[in-house]
Amino acid sequence: MKTNRWTRRAMLLLAALTVLLSGCTTYVTTQVTAFSDWSGGDATRTYAFMREPDQRNNLELTTYERIVANELATHAFRQVDSAQARYLVGLSYGIRSDVVTVAEPVYYNPWPAPYWGWGRPYDPWGPWGPFPAGYVNQSYPIFTHLLGVRITERATGKEVYNVTARNSGGESSLVRAMPYLARSALADFPLGNGVVRTVKIPLDTGAGAPNETPVPAAAPASAMAPAPASGAKAAQ
């Protein structure tokens, strides 16, 4: 689906505001779109990642597969050899950069010292005052991150689940954004067909999201139960 010019501008402006407020941001907000033909009561969730021939030695893709595999494991998926897998999982991903220009106000103080405390500690407005004297255009880089997860039946080639996660902000690294994308894409799996929603995940304020998430050791399907993605909040 193509976004029109005004919708795209609005999305970029919102992302720019996110950058401006990044100092107090506590959540990573991701838009998720899912298409599903998933049948209920499926106890055999074995899968293998599928790759194009030119991707066999792609270290970046290997890193993203590990992150996605960790999220799939929370929903009782178990990674096996492709010959024994019931499902094949394919990933698509990317990052795009834009520059957004925002008009920011420049303030002045109409009450000069000493009557209004010009720059004194008790002056609530500081040396600039509460009134905008004009506006200055400031440009900010915006990065849009994308992850697509496609699940097909190995035996028939039938697509049973296709989900896309997208977010924007000042993060210039796709690998640092990937854990949030993967967790958002697979939160509350499986979603209904044609579901579009927003997922909010608490921002890791420490060292940041890990580039590689360890995959739990495989366990018998009967011993594994689906669990919701940790820390994810969804707003329909």
Side-chain angles (χ1 to χ4, degrees):
M1 180 179 66
K2 295 183 178 180
T3 56
N4 59 42
R5 181 179 58 182
W6 298 110
T7 300
R8 184 169 180 270
R9 286 182 179 178
M11 292 172 62
L12 292 176
L13 180 58
L14 179 61
L17 294 175
T18 301
V19 172
L20 292 176
L21 298 174
S22 59
C24 56
T25 298
T26 57
Y27 289 91
V28 176
T29 302
T30 303
Q31 186 181 60
V32 175
T33 304
F35 297 94
S36 176
D37 189 20
W38 193 266
S39 57
D42 178 14
T44 307
R45 294 186 176 185
T46 56
Y47 76 96
F49 287 107
M50 59 180 179
R51 294 187 175 192
E52 298 298 329
D54 60 348
Q55 296 177 321
R56 289 175 181 171
N57 298 314
N58 189 320
L59 289 176
E60 181 183 14
L61 180 54
T62 299
T63 300
Y64 299 156
E65 286 177 346
R66 290 174 181 172
I67 295 173
V68 172
N70 185 71
E71 298 302 323
L72 287 170
T74 67
H75 300 289
F77 280 89
R78 182 165 53 92
Q79 189 172 358
V80 298
D81 183 79
S82 59
Q84 284 76 46
R86 179 172 181 179
Y87 300 105
L88 296 178
V89 177
L91 304 184
S92 58
Y93 52 88
I95 184 171
R96 185 184 67 195
S97 62
D98 288 286
V99 175
V100 174
T101 300
V102 179
E104 296 183 347
V106 177
Y107 294 94
Y108 78 99
N109 194 329
W111 294 282
Y115 306 106
W116 194 252
W118 190 264
R120 282 180 259 174
Y122 58 82
D123 184 352
W125 307 112
W128 297 282
F131 301 108
Y135 292 85
V136 175
N137 288 334
Q138 296 286 352
S139 296
Y140 299 92
I142 299 297
F143 301 92
T144 300
H145 319 99
L146 176 70
L147 170 67
V149 180
R150 182 173 182 260
I151 303 177
T152 60
E153 291 182 341
R154 184 181 63 86
T156 64
K158 176 185 176 183
E159 181 178 271
V160 293
Y161 202 71
N162 193 329
V163 62
T164 302
R166 183 194 312 268
N167 59 36
S168 299
E171 176 55 69
S172 60
S173 170
L174 179 59
V175 70
R176 286 198 292 265
M178 188 57 65
Y180 299 101
L181 292 169
R183 190 173 303 173
S184 299
L186 295 169
D188 299 325
F189 175 91
L191 297 176
N193 187 48
V195 169
V196 178
R197 69 174 186 169
T198 300
V199 177
K200 298 173 67 177
I201 296 177
L203 178 66
D204 183 351
T205 57
N211 291 347
E212 295 187 13
T213 307
V215 179
S222 60
M224 303 179 65
S230 174
K233 296 183 178 181
Q236 297 290 349

